Amino acid sequence: MLHPATRAAIPAVLTGVESAADQYGWDQPPVVFGLFDRTDLADGAGSGFGALEVDPTLAAPDLWTASDPARPGESLPVPVVLQRFARQLATPHARVWLRDWLARDRRALVGVGLLFEGWAGPVTPGYRRGDLVKAPAVLRREIRIAAAVDTDLGLHRVARVRHGQPSAARSWPELPWWGQRRGVVVGLRALTELAKRV
């Protein structure tokens, strides 16, 4: 179980991650990252005060450039790449690398997060992937989301509409029903559960 102060710090960290990304503008590639509590703080017991470290080196930037065979000239959707990445990290050789990455500098995993851009809007009956991109501008908006699934399988997120201010960060102590089938949440959960087992 996470220390309550550590769990409470995750939304603030995600807000910081999204705000830092906003300085670089839009149309940036996704970034998958680990959230860590340093076990070498507070006499080796972990900080317990919500001082978290963000490590964006879990995946190479070219992870997100895999071509989509169904849409020539476009990359695979972020949720598909994230779930594929989780399966790749589950292979024996990758698990050894992941174990070393997780243990670097005596840190303890708190959660796995993703910073990404996408489209939001109403999903109508018969919706197919990509429909929001083609919808009229009044029916859609571009958003950037920083989301994380913690090691207790809670969900945290903050979002910003393009040309707007970030929303207040939200947290759910358990994965909400609506998030359990969303591709990004499924991928983050798979990565978090894998990291807990290695």
Side-chain angles (χ1 to χ4, degrees), residues 16-149:
V17 165
E18 193 285 324
S19 294
D22 195 55
Q23 296 177 19
Y24 294 97
W26 288 77
D27 305 317
Q28 301 296 320
V31 178
V32 63
F33 54 89
L35 294 170
F36 294 93
D37 189 2
R38 294 285 302 271
T39 57
D40 58 349
L41 301 175
D43 299 323
S47 68
F49 298 106
L52 302 182
E53 173 185 290
V54 177
D55 185 343
T57 64
L58 180 57
D62 65 352
L63 174 70
W64 311 101
T65 60
S67 297
D68 186 342
R71 299 180 305 163
E74 295 189 40
S75 297
L76 283 169
V78 170
V80 172
V81 175
L82 189 65
Q83 292 175 36
R84 178 189 282 184
F85 181 55
R87 288 190 300 274
Q88 290 169 346
L89 281 180
T91 63
H93 178 72
R95 287 171 74 100
V96 172
W97 177 88
L98 179 61
R99 188 177 306 118
D100 291 341
W101 182 82
L102 289 166
R104 188 181 305 156
D105 298 326
R106 298 177 58 204
R107 60 192 188 177
L109 183 73
V110 171
V112 178
L114 181 69
L115 176 73
F116 66 103
E117 298 174 7
W119 293 98
V123 175
T124 56
Y127 174 84
R128 292 179 316 226
R129 181 171 50 93
D131 284 354
L132 278 175
V133 175
K134 299 177 233 165
V138 296
L139 295 179
R140 62 187 170 102
R141 59 195 187 280
E142 194 170 3
I143 59 171
R144 179 171 46 238
I145 297 174
V149 171

Side-chain angles (χ1 to χ4, degrees), residues 3 111 124-125 148 160:
H3 189 287
T124 56
R160 180 192 303 256

